[in-house]
Amino acid sequence: MFKTSAAAACAAAALLWSESALAQSDIERGKYLAAIMDCGGCHTPGVFLGKPDFARAFAGSEVGFEIPGLGIFYPPNLTSDKATGLGEWSENEIIAAVRTGARPDGRELAPAMPWRAYSALSDRDAKALAKYLKSLPPIANKVSDPVGPSQKAEAPYLSVKMP
Ligand code: HEC
């Protein structure tokens, strides 16, 4: 009897350990994907001003992208801050935005966010990436709202010609 319950406890502990090890390796994988997919290259303050602020990596950009005819779009804060970042987004909502450009409010993300290229991401990698973003410590930083094509921008922006 003792032997059986000890064995069961060991098995349960091993399972718990392997599950947390798996979650950890997902986050590691997500970190790697975020690096090679250059999320921080657009979503980090200062990058387009020549002074990347790595202490606030992924906290959003003060410089937007102008898509002629569509408007100006600022790469938002991807950290887990609830008010200004992705803190209130579920993993599935992050995955939908990255792979299909669909925001939870139904707006389609402008093509300055390369979601069409990211649509090829596998389920497993998309999940790992979302888990990594959810694991980022919250940094409060509200980027400018998108600006319509006929509105005047208050914040700096780059003009892009998309194919
Ligand atoms: C070339 C620049 C660029 C790169 C690279 C990029 N993004 Fe974006 N991203 C943007 C812009 C610009 C927007 C805002 C688009 C809009 O508002 O329509 C955006 C929006 C988003 C959103 C929606 C957030 C919100 O609050 O609406 C998410 C999530 C996101 N990006 C995640 C990522 C991830 C994850 C990566 C890396 C895998 C990444 N982005 C790489 C430019 C980029």
Side-chain angles (χ1 to χ4, degrees):
M1 181 62 191
F2 171 75
K3 266 195 185 147
T4 335
S5 56
C10 273
L15 198 70
L16 270 180
W17 180 84
S18 63
E19 269 179 11
S20 69
L22 209 63
Q24 193 53 42
S25 70
D26 269 356
I27 292 177
E28 283 300 312
R29 172 90 185 152
K31 183 177 181 183
Y32 161 78
L33 291 167
I36 62 170
M37 294 165 78
D38 201 23
C39 314
C42 286
H43 287 268
T44 295
V47 167
F48 298 113
L49 302 174
K51 284 180 274 170
D53 181 359
F54 295 121
R56 294 191 302 149
F58 302 106
S61 173
E62 59 286 85
V63 178
F65 288 82
E66 181 192 36
I67 315 278
L70 205 59
I72 303 169
F73 303 89
Y74 296 83
N77 184 347
L78 303 181
T79 73
S80 61
D81 187 59
K82 283 193 193 315
T84 65
L86 301 180
E88 300 284 7
W89 292 40
S90 68
E91 283 177 14
N92 284 338
E93 285 171 334
I94 296 176
I95 292 170
V98 172
R99 286 203 302 204
T100 69
R103 271 177 48 97
D105 67 3
R107 183 169 72 78
E108 182 178 288
L109 293 171
M113 161 66 188
W115 55 266
R116 285 181 175 82
Y118 298 155
S119 67
L121 209 57
S122 71
D123 289 348
R124 187 150 183 225
D125 281 347
K127 215 171 167 50
L129 187 59
K131 274 195 198 305
Y132 171 62
L133 293 179
K134 294 294 279 185
S135 80
L136 293 173
I139 297 173
N141 183 40
K142 167 93 180 76
V143 305
S144 301
D145 288 329
V147 176
S150 54
Q151 283 174 283
K152 221 178 122 41
E154 307 278 322
Y157 58 88
L158 306 164
S159 205
V160 223
K161 298 260 185 302
M162 301 303 266

